[in-house]
Amino acid sequence: MKEYYLNVIKFPMLVSLSLTVLAVAFFGMVFGSYFKLGLSLSETVIYIALFAVLTVLVSTWVLNLISTHSKIHPRWMEIYAKWMLVHIYYNLASFLGFITFQKRQQIQESFLNFNNEIVLSAARQIHHTNILLLVPHCLQNSECKIRITTDINSCAECGKCDIADIKALAKKLNVRASVATGGSLARKIIQDASPDVIVAVACHRDLTDGVQDTWKFPVFGVLNERPNGPCFETTVSLSTIEFAIRKFQ
Ligand code: SF4
């Protein structure tokens, strides 16, 4: 329970803490200089610029927090908030996590949960027709004779791995499903399909990279399980995938 709780709140907690530390450092610096010798013109200009940056960082973070509950309007503001989330706040949280010895995977999982909340809240009450289900190649049984790249329909449905069930689920929910063997292929599949929403399955690292790489697309991440170690005959919860797809339909 504690682990689950941390996986949800760790990322927003780290970002909020980073911004608090930056604000305290900034005001400490300003008041320190002011009470020591007073502020010179150049110092005043620098502090005004830093204050503007801090204000932008804090207000955009508040915007991101709001976007986990309601869709941001107008569209350009939504795009701006998302850009800041994946390019600035994720790195801020990672840096603070690194210097305070936090588990990287926990920060990534919390970031993905946070991103999922934003994607779900933006998609609320919208019926999407072009949903792409993107799954990793490592779900496939290692002894399978068929090499499945991109087209999941090549699976012969022998049932030795989750690919067969995913193929059936995609058919049942009438969504396009693709298998990606790597980041470049995943990007190509996404560009070709240009989906409204992507439900992506992968490990912590690949999902985080994928959300960052394709930040303009709404990506709902589902973590795979790795009972046989990383990148080898992984599995995934079909019910979580179905839950996610139905939320967007
Ligand atoms: S379910 Fe499909 S992908 Fe998996 S081993 Fe069987 S034929 Fe291969």
Side-chain angles (χ1 to χ4, degrees):
M1 188 65 192
K2 186 183 161 212
E3 187 84 357
Y4 171 77
Y5 190 60
L6 280 174
N7 289 344
V8 174
I9 67 154
K10 186 158 264 189
F11 171 72
M13 213 174 64
L14 284 172
V15 177
S16 303
L17 200 58
S18 313
L19 294 176
T20 308
V21 169
L22 287 177
V24 168
F26 171 76
F27 286 110
M29 240 163 44
V30 173
F31 287 121
S33 309
Y34 181 75
F35 288 118
K36 229 158 81 194
L37 297 166
L39 293 178
S40 67
L41 180 65
S42 57
E43 278 176 327
T44 308
V45 171
I46 291 170
Y47 287 144
I48 288 175
L50 286 177
F51 182 71
V53 171
L54 196 59
T55 307
V56 168
L57 281 175
V58 173
S59 52
T60 313
W61 176 237
V62 172
L63 198 63
N64 266 293
L65 290 174
I66 294 170
S67 69
T68 59
H69 290 90
S70 49
K71 188 173 168 61
I72 300 290
H73 296 287
R75 173 86 179 124
W76 67 264
M77 205 183 271
E78 188 188 353
I79 293 173
Y80 160 71
K82 185 75 185 292
W83 188 91
M84 291 288 281
L85 175 71
V86 300
H87 293 99
I88 307 292
Y89 300 120
Y90 176 71
N91 291 322
L92 263 185
S94 294
F95 178 70
L96 188 63
F98 175 72
I99 60 173
T100 54
F101 307 106
Q102 304 296 314
K103 285 185 194 155
R104 193 174 179 76
Q105 275 201 357
Q106 219 169 43
I107 299 172
Q108 289 171 330
E109 191 165 338
S110 178
F111 165 73
L112 293 166
N113 282 329
F114 190 84
N115 179 65
N116 283 355
E117 289 301 320
I118 293 176
V119 173
L120 281 177
S121 110
R124 203 171 287 151
Q125 290 166 354
I126 300 175
H127 171 69
H128 296 93
T129 46
N130 188 5
I131 299 172
L132 173 66
L133 171 59
L134 197 57
V135 301
H137 184 249
C138 59
L139 285 172
Q140 193 178 7
N141 184 290
S142 60
E143 285 169 9
C144 180
K145 298 279 180 283
I146 307 161
R147 183 164 160 73
I148 299 181
T149 50
T150 315
D151 188 10
I152 203 165
N153 292 318
S154 344
C155 167
E157 297 173 50
C158 75
K160 283 189 188 155
C161 68
D162 283 344
I163 298 280
D165 290 335
I166 292 170
K167 180 182 167 184
L169 182 68
K171 200 170 167 193
K172 180 173 99 175
L173 300 177
N174 195 25
V175 297
R176 175 179 167 161
S178 293
V179 180
T181 48
S184 314
L185 185 59
R187 273 190 293 277
K188 188 177 177 324
I189 293 169
I190 291 169
Q191 262 156 20
D192 291 348
S194 191
D196 302 330
V197 178
I198 302 157
V199 175
V201 177
C203 62
H204 293 75
R205 191 199 57 193
D206 287 359
L207 259 186
T208 307
D209 289 351
V211 167
Q212 288 181 306
D213 280 356
T214 56
W215 66 273
K216 281 188 185 162
F217 289 92
V219 180
F220 185 96
V222 178
L223 287 166
N224 61 359
E225 288 134 27
R226 286 152 283 170
N228 305 305
C231 311
F232 186 75
E233 295 187 354
T234 60
T235 59
V236 65
S237 156
L238 268 286
S239 54
T240 309
I241 297 178
E242 181 164 359
F243 165 84
I245 294 173
R246 287 195 187 279
K247 283 270 177 195
F248 300 113
Q249 285 183 323

